[in-house]
Amino acid sequence: MYQNACGAAAASAGVCVEGDRECQSLISKEPIIPAEHDYSGFDIVKATQYGAFQRVKDLIDAGYNVNQRDSETVTLLHWAAINNRKEIMRFFIDNGSEVDAVGGELDATPLHWATRQGHLDAVVLLMNAGADPTLRDAEGCSCIHLAAQFGHTALVAYFVARGVSPDLQDKGGMTPLMWSCWKVCTLDPTRLLLTLGASTKLTDSTQGNTALHWAILARNTTAISTLILQSNASLDIPNHRGDTPLSLLQNCSGSVWIGAKVGERVREAMSTKNSQSLLIRISKDKRIKWWCMVGTPFISFYVAGLILGANVLILIKLFLLVCLYIILHFMGQVFYDDRLMALLPLSIYLATKIWIYVTWVVYIMPHASIFITLVFLSSSGALWYCFLKAWLGDPGVISTNQDLQFRTIIELAERGPGGFEPSSFCSACLVKRPIRSKHCSVCNRCVARFDHHCPWVANCIGAKNHKYFLGFLACLVIMCSQMLYGTSQYWQSQCNVIPKSDGFFDILMKINHCDPWVAWVAANSVLHLAWVFMLFICQLYQILCLGMTTNERMNKGRYGHFINNSGKSPFSRTPFLNFVDFLECTCFGLVKPEVKDWMTSYDLDKSVECQPLLRHKDNFQYV
C-alpha cells in the first residue's frame, strides 16, 4: 500500500528534497484507463478509483453500504478522496459516509489521504462536511503536518485559515514550520507559515531542535536565509545536545549552501558574542550605523571636492583620493549594515543635491540673472514636491489584516486550485493580487501596478506615486541642466573662459586653475543628467509607446495576458491616450481618460482572454 511507503518517507530523517520526489514517485502513478467505456464489470472500489459515477451510484442504490470497509479498514470515501473524485465524494457524504473514518496501515482519515496528494478540492469538500483536520494518523501527524512535509502551500494556508494553529505539534513535537524547513527546499510554505505567525522558538520533544536547527541539518539554503534574514530567528537556542544554530553554522562556515548574507550575519553574531571591546559595541550600535549610512555621502562629497581643489601635485591628489576610498571601504566593512543599505543611494542623491544648492548660492547666484535664479528655484520646488511624493507617498500598497487574509484564503481555496496561482495570490502577504501588481522583495509588500523599486527614492514605484516619480525625473533633468548653464556663466565671467576661441584643453586648464570645486559639482551634475535623462526617456517610452510598467516589460513572458496578446500590452491605447490615462488628465475636458482603480482590479476586460500559466493536473491513485 502507498500509505506505508509515504508515511515512512515523511517520518524518516534524510536530506531536504524538493517536494519529496521519491515519495511523490510512489504516489503519482496514474492508472491505465481501460479502452472500453463499459464500467459494468467494475466493483465499487475500482469504479470509485476511476471516477465511474454512474456505476458507483448503481451499486449504492442496489444496497451496497457506503461505509463498508475492506480488509485494511479503508472506506470508499478514502478512495474517492485520494483520487480527487469530487462528484463521488459528494454522493458518498450525502448518503451518510463517515468523513473521519480511520483506515489503512497508517490509521489515516480521508482528509489525510487527500492532503498527502495536495487535492485542494477534496480537502475543501471534506472540511465543509465536518472533517477534523487535527486528527493524527499512526505516525502522529495531523493534516497540516502532511501538507507542510509535501510542500502543499495552498493546503497549509487553508488549514490555518480554518482555525488550525500554525504551531500545532505532532507526536514528536514537530511543527509544520519544522517539517517545511526539513523537507521542502522551495521558499513556500516556509515563508507562508512565518507570515501566518508560526513560532521560530519552539523545539521538538525528541531532539530539542528549532525550525532553524532542522533547516541547517537539511542544508536548506532557502529556509535558512528566510528564517535568519527575514524573520530574525534566534541563533542561540540550544538543542538537547547543546548545539545552537550559531555553533552549527560556525562549524560549516565557508560552505556554499550557507550563503554570503547568512555567513555575514553569523560572523557578526560571533564577533558580538566573543568581544565586548568599545569598538565592537560602537560598530554594532544601530543609531551609529544609521548616521554612518546617512552622513558618509555628505562628508565624502565635500572631502573629495577639497582634495581636488588642493594646491598640490596631481599625483598627491590621486594618492589622497585613494586614501579616501580606503577609509570609506573600511568604514563600510565596520559600520555599514546590509539591512540599511537601502538608505545609501538615497543619501548619495540627497548629498549631491544639497551641495548643488550650496554651490549655486555661493558661486552661481551672484553671477546669474534674477530670471535664471527664479527658474532654478521654481524647478527646484517642483522637484522637491515630486520627490517627497515619490519617497514618502503610498505607492499603492495592498493593505490587509489577518481576518482579511483568512477570508481571502478560504475564498480562493473554495474557488479551486487555480485561485492560488502566483499571478493571483501572494503567499508572502496572503492577499489576492490585483492585476499588474507585484510583491516587492525589498519592501516585503504587494504594490498595485508595480513598476519597480527605486533605491534613489527608497520606495516602490506603483499606481499611486508613478506620475510623481516621472515628474521627479523631469524636474531633476531640468535642475541639472540649469546647474550646468549656471556654471558655464560662472566660468565665462570669473575664469575668463571664451568658448568660441579657447580650445577644449585650454578651457579645462582655466576651469581647474579658477575653482576646482565648481568643476567637481558640474561633473556630478553631468553624471546625474546623463543617467536620469536616459531613465526618463525609458519611462516615457514604456508609458506612451508600450503601455507597460518596467516590471511588465522585463517579465512579460511570465504573464498570460501578454503571451496571449502576442507580447503586446492589453492596456495600451495610442501614445497620447496612454499618457492621458497615466496622468488621469482630462486636458480641460478635451479628452476622457480611462481611470481604473488598480488597487481593486483583479480581472482583464472581457474582450481580453487570459489563460493561467500553470494548469492543475489531477493525479490518480490505485493499488
Side-chain angles (χ1 to χ4, degrees):
M1 294 289 288
Y2 92 92
Q3 306 99 299
N4 188 36
C6 294
S12 64
V15 296
C16 176
V17 293
E18 186 172 348
D20 266 283
R21 292 178 180 174
E22 291 184 3
C23 186
Q24 289 293 347
S25 66
L26 292 173
I27 62 177
S28 61
K29 296 179 181 178
E30 298 181 1
I32 299 174
I33 305 298
E36 71 276 5
H37 297 284
D38 181 13
Y39 302 119
S40 59
F42 282 13
D43 60 28
I44 194 167
V45 172
K46 194 171 184 180
T48 300
Q49 292 172 346
Y50 284 96
F53 176 75
Q54 189 57 49
R55 175 60 176 167
V56 170
K57 185 176 184 301
D58 291 343
L59 290 172
I60 295 297
D61 291 342
Y64 195 94
N65 184 3
V66 73
N67 285 311
Q68 180 68 39
R69 299 169 181 264
D70 61 16
S71 59
E72 295 186 355
T73 69
V74 176
T75 68
L76 295 175
L77 188 57
H78 281 85
W79 291 119
I82 197 174
N83 288 287
N84 204 29
R85 304 301 185 186
K86 299 181 285 295
E87 186 180 19
I88 295 177
M89 289 175 65
R90 293 190 189 95
F91 179 73
F92 286 158
I93 292 171
D94 291 341
N95 281 271
S97 181
E98 185 181 351
V99 293
D100 284 331
V102 174
E105 295 180 8
L106 292 181
D107 294 334
T109 65
L111 188 59
H112 283 99
W113 284 38
T115 300
R116 283 184 182 274
Q117 279 302 92
H119 291 321
L120 181 60
D121 291 339
V123 167
V124 170
L125 197 155
L126 289 167
M127 290 281 289
N128 289 335
D132 186 355
T134 63
L135 294 178
R136 296 178 177 176
D137 59 18
E139 293 179 332
C141 293
S142 71
C143 291
I144 193 172
H145 299 110
L146 297 178
Q149 289 172 18
F150 292 102
H152 300 316
T153 303
L155 290 182
V156 173
Y158 183 67
F159 286 133
V160 175
R162 290 294 299 264
V164 179
S165 171
D167 290 327
L168 183 66
Q169 294 180 297
D170 64 12
K171 182 174 63 176
M174 295 280 285
T175 66
L177 181 61
M178 295 177 192
W179 276 118
S180 178
C181 292
W182 175 239
K183 303 293 287 184
V184 184
C185 290
T186 53
L187 183 59
D188 288 318
T190 300
R191 180 177 64 175
L192 178 135
L193 284 163
L194 292 169
T195 304
L196 290 170
S199 174
T200 60
K201 297 181 179 180
L202 291 176
T203 58
D204 66 83
S205 55
T206 55
Q207 300 186 45
N209 288 334
T210 64
L212 184 53
H213 280 96
W214 285 109
I216 295 168
L217 292 172
R219 298 188 176 185
N220 190 340
T221 304
T222 303
I224 294 171
S225 176
T226 303
L227 288 168
I228 294 178
L229 301 180
Q230 297 183 22
S231 298
N232 293 317
S234 175
L235 295 168
D236 299 320
I237 300 176
N239 60 15
H240 293 339
R241 297 177 58 184
D243 295 326
T244 66
L246 182 60
S247 64
L248 292 175
L249 288 171
Q250 187 183 13
N251 293 334
C252 300
S253 60
S255 300
V256 176
W257 55 269
I258 290 182
K261 291 186 177 180
V262 172
E264 184 176 338
R265 189 67 61 85
V266 170
R267 289 190 293 273
E268 178 183 324
M270 289 301 300
S271 63
T272 302
K273 185 175 181 180
N274 296 333
S275 177
Q276 298 298 323
S277 67
L278 179 62
L279 179 61
I280 292 296
R281 290 199 300 271
I282 292 175
S283 65
K284 302 306 176 187
D285 188 280
K286 292 184 179 179
R287 290 171 298 180
I288 294 177
K289 284 178 176 289
W290 189 90
W291 280 109
C292 283
M293 297 290 287
V294 172
T296 300
F298 290 86
I299 298 173
S300 58
F301 190 103
Y302 179 69
V303 173
L306 290 181
I307 293 173
L308 292 172
N311 188 22
V312 295
L313 295 174
I314 293 179
L315 290 177
I316 298 177
K317 290 182 180 181
L318 292 175
F319 173 75
L320 293 175
L321 289 174
V322 171
C323 290
L324 176 62
Y325 172 79
I326 294 173
I327 292 171
L328 292 175
H329 180 74
F330 174 76
M331 289 184 61
Q333 295 293 320
V334 176
F335 293 103
Y336 284 10
D337 191 332
D338 280 344
R339 288 160 286 186
L340 298 174
M341 284 302 290
L343 290 173
L344 192 57
L346 177 63
S347 300
I348 293 173
Y349 162 73
L350 290 174
T352 305
K353 189 156 65 172
I354 292 300
W355 285 117
I356 286 178
Y357 284 138
V358 172
T359 304
W360 183 276
V361 172
V362 175
Y363 294 92
I364 310 300
M365 186 181 293
H367 307 283
S369 64
I370 297 177
F371 175 75
I372 294 297
T373 299
L374 288 176
V375 173
F376 179 82
L377 294 176
S378 299
S379 62
S380 180
L383 173 65
W384 273 104
Y385 175 77
C386 293
F387 170 71
L388 291 174
K389 282 285 190 177
W391 175 26
L392 302 176
D394 177 15
V397 177
I398 311 300
S399 59
T400 186
N401 55 57
Q402 191 174 77
D403 290 339
L404 180 59
Q405 289 173 340
F406 286 177
R407 288 201 303 270
T408 299
I409 291 170
I410 293 173
E411 174 192 342
L412 295 177
E414 294 182 350
R415 179 186 299 178
F420 288 100
E421 288 284 344
S423 60
S424 59
F425 177 74
C426 176
S427 61
C429 301
L430 305 184
V431 296
K432 185 179 178 182
R433 278 182 172 168
I435 196 167
R436 307 189 78 179
S437 66
K438 186 180 182 294
H439 182 83
C440 175
S441 59
V442 179
C443 298
N444 196 30
R445 57 189 183 179
C446 283
V447 177
R449 205 186 68 194
F450 178 85
D451 189 83
H452 70 290
H453 180 90
C454 180
W456 301 102
V457 297
N459 198 4
C460 294
I461 305 302
K464 291 188 176 182
N465 68 346
H466 197 173
K467 59 184 177 182
Y468 297 111
F469 177 73
L470 192 68
F472 161 69
L473 296 179
C475 292
L476 192 54
V477 168
I478 294 172
M479 179 184 176
C480 291
S481 301
Q482 289 176 325
M483 185 65 196
L484 292 176
Y485 177 78
T487 54
S488 68
Q489 295 297 306
Y490 171 81
W491 288 329
Q492 291 182 46
S493 63
Q494 295 300 112
C495 304
N496 196 29
V497 172
I498 305 174
K500 293 183 179 179
S501 60
D502 292 339
F504 178 73
F505 290 103
D506 292 333
I507 292 175
L508 289 181
M509 292 302 294
K510 287 183 178 181
I511 290 173
N512 182 59
H513 287 95
C514 179
D515 200 316
W517 172 265
V518 177
W520 166 241
V521 174
N524 278 273
S525 298
V526 170
L527 179 63
H528 278 71
L529 177 62
W531 74 263
V532 172
F533 180 73
M534 292 299 296
L535 181 57
F536 178 67
I537 294 300
C538 181
Q539 283 282 315
L540 280 181
Y541 173 72
Q542 290 175 171
I543 295 167
L544 273 63
C545 302
L546 301 181
M548 294 182 182
T549 63
T550 302
N551 171 63
E552 290 169 341
R553 181 176 61 84
M554 297 179 66
N555 300 297
K556 61 183 179 181
R558 297 170 55 188
Y559 297 107
H561 46 276
F562 287 103
I563 295 175
N564 296 334
N565 203 34
S566 302
K568 298 178 181 179
S569 173
F571 314 105
S572 179
R573 302 202 285 169
T574 65
F576 175 72
L577 292 178
N578 285 342
F579 196 60
V580 168
D581 294 343
F582 176 77
L583 296 178
E584 298 181 354
C585 176
T586 61
C587 297
F588 304 102
L590 298 176
V591 293
K592 185 178 181 181
E594 280 190 356
V595 179
K596 199 165 187 177
D597 183 7
W598 296 108
M599 301 281 291
T600 57
S601 299
Y602 298 99
D603 300 304
L604 290 170
D605 295 334
K606 293 182 180 179
S607 59
V608 181
E609 295 183 359
C610 177
Q611 297 295 329
L613 297 182
L614 300 176
R615 296 182 179 181
H616 178 69
K617 181 181 179 181
D618 287 333
N619 287 327
F620 306 93
Q621 307 308 319
Y622 71 117
V623 177

